[in-house]
Structure formats: structure tokens, C-alpha cells
Amino acid sequence: MNIIVCIKQVPGTSKVEVDPVTGVLKRDGIDSKMNPYDLYALETALKLREEKGGKVSVISMGPPQAMAVIKEAYMMGADEGTLISDRKFGGADVLATSYTLSQGVRKMGDADIIICGKQTTDGDTAQVGPEMAEYLGIPHVANVRKIVELREASIVVEMDMPDTVEVAEVQYPCLITVEKNIFEPRLPSYRKKLSTKDREINILSLKDLEDQDEKKYGLNGSPTQVERIFPPEVNNDRETWTGSSEEITHKLIGKLKALKFI
């Protein structure tokens, strides 16, 4: 079984600056980590490999420093890693990101299952996985909370829907996005760190992809643009009231009315 896992390097802190011109995050020089949801996706892939055998490959898109999360994936048990990196990919929205990743997956070769985390902590759109599947022309299932069964030509999963839990059988090749806690992610292994320290990471740029039309990537290929990003205002104002419960109740109702909450 050939499994590809999409992983991403995200800021490890909430104190991130925003480029005033492009409206995108400044990622250079800040603490980073693997997107937490992707840890569950990677663990799911490793569990499937343990059951059925095969290979687990990871793919990421980002600047050269994103190789750190691929090395972390190696330490957890991934077999191969690919980084899609090119300045022309910078500033991509979810549509351009999905298209770029789909092109990278095509370059990596046929996969039985592509696994993504539910969403990323820096974007929170939960759209990249399904959009990738649409570009690849394969079926997909989102919000997977449990792997029910691996069959010869399909996978049976439970989906965590808003009001129900649904069971779906999806034919290979397919893409799934997984919820957190589907499996408990294993810790990186120091032994694997030593044994994989020289393992190659495949680097793909625009010239390596099948579609080299620059208008489909990065800011050029992004139909949505960020108008403004700003940190939330911190308001530490507080009032202390004393009196009987009836007096405080009247004050509270008056305050809520003044603030137009009621």
C-alpha cells in the first residue's frame, strides 16, 4: 500500500508579524513546528502500514526550512519525503496551495491513500484536503474519526458529522482528512533520528511540475486576497461591584443594555 501524508510547518507562536503589502504571514526567523493535526494524519498512515505493509511518504509545501518537519516525520517512521519549494509559490491561498500540492502528489507517483490533517492551525480553513482530491479527480472523505476496515480495494471509515456519525466505504485511490485523536501520535525516535539523518529529501520547484503555468501558483493563482490582518485588541478593563444580589442584578442588566448585548 502506497500512502502519502500531507504535512505542514506552522508557526509555533501566536506572535507572528504580517507583511503589510501582501497580507501574508512572515515566517522567516520564527519558531515553527509540525501542524498538530498532521501528527494524527501521519500516525494514521503508520498504523495502516503496520496492518497492510507498504510505504509512507510525506509531502510538504514551504520554504527550505520546512525540511525540518519532514525530518521529524522520518524520526516518527516515514519512509520518504518531498518538499515543494519555490518563491513563485509564496502567498498562495487555499486554492493555489491545493493545486500545488496536487501537482506534487502527481510527481510522486500513484498513491492508494492520501491522508491530511483536518486543518492547519495557521489557516483553519479545512479546505486544502478536499480541494486536492478534486484536482486529482479522486474520491475523498473529510472528518474521519475512525478507520473501520481496510479492504482489498477500499477503505471503510467513520465520519464525525455535525449531528451524526456516518460510515462510508471509499474506493482506492482516495483522500481522507482525519480528526484529532483518531490515534495517539507516537513520539519521534532518537534511534530513527540517527539512522535517517542523511536520508534524502526530494525538492520540487515549479520547473519540476507537470503544469508550469505561473498563473496557477502563489499569489498569481490565488483568487482570494487578504485585505487586512491585525492582532486582536487586548482589553483588560474591569469593574468591581458591591451591594445586594438585587442591586448587582440591576447593575448587570443596565450594563448589558448599555453595551447593546440585550
Side-chain angles (χ1 to χ4, degrees), residues 32-206:
S32 300
K33 62 182 180 181
M34 188 185 299
N35 177 49
Y37 286 95
D38 297 342
L39 293 170
Y40 299 104
L42 180 55
E43 182 63 31
T44 301
L46 297 173
K47 292 288 188 185
L48 297 184
R49 186 186 64 186
E50 289 171 3
E51 181 177 344
K52 286 290 187 179
K55 181 176 68 174
V56 172
S57 304
V58 296
I59 183 170
S60 186
M61 172 182 163
Q65 58 261 35
M67 286 191 288
V69 295
I70 295 179
K71 291 180 179 179
E72 182 179 349
Y74 285 169
M75 287 187 276
M76 293 177 66
D79 300 300
E80 293 182 0
T82 297
L83 176 65
I84 309 175
S85 186
D86 196 310
R87 287 189 177 276
K88 293 172 182 176
F89 300 150
D93 69 355
V94 291
L95 194 69
T97 297
S98 304
Y99 188 72
T100 307
L101 286 169
S102 70
Q103 286 288 301
V105 167
R106 290 182 186 278
K107 188 71 175 180
M108 293 173 71
D110 295 333
D112 297 300
I113 305 177
I114 301 169
I115 307 178
C116 304
K118 176 184 177 182
Q119 62 197 62
T120 60
T121 56
D122 60 349
D124 284 326
T125 66
Q127 296 173 6
V128 169
E131 288 183 8
M132 279 181 62
E134 289 298 312
Y135 278 127
L136 292 167
I138 60 176
H140 66 277
V141 177
N143 303 96
V144 172
R145 73 171 200 170
K146 181 180 180 182
I147 306 297
V148 178
E149 183 183 358
L150 275 177
R151 297 177 178 172
E152 192 65 30
S154 63
I155 183 171
V156 182
V157 298
E158 281 187 5
M159 297 179 289
D160 189 9
M161 307 301 285
D163 300 313
T164 60
V165 173
E166 298 184 14
V167 177
E169 180 180 1
V170 195
Q171 300 293 315
Y172 306 138
C174 63
L175 182 148
I176 63 173
T177 72
V178 298
E179 293 275 0
K180 63 179 183 179
N181 300 326
I182 183 171
F183 292 108
E184 183 66 28
R186 65 194 70 189
L187 294 173
S189 163
Y190 181 70
R191 288 185 177 180
K192 284 188 172 63
K193 179 180 180 179
L194 295 179
S195 64
T196 62
K197 63 183 179 68
D198 296 323
R199 182 176 295 174
E200 182 182 1
I201 296 175
N202 302 313
I203 309 294
L204 299 178
S205 63
L206 179 60

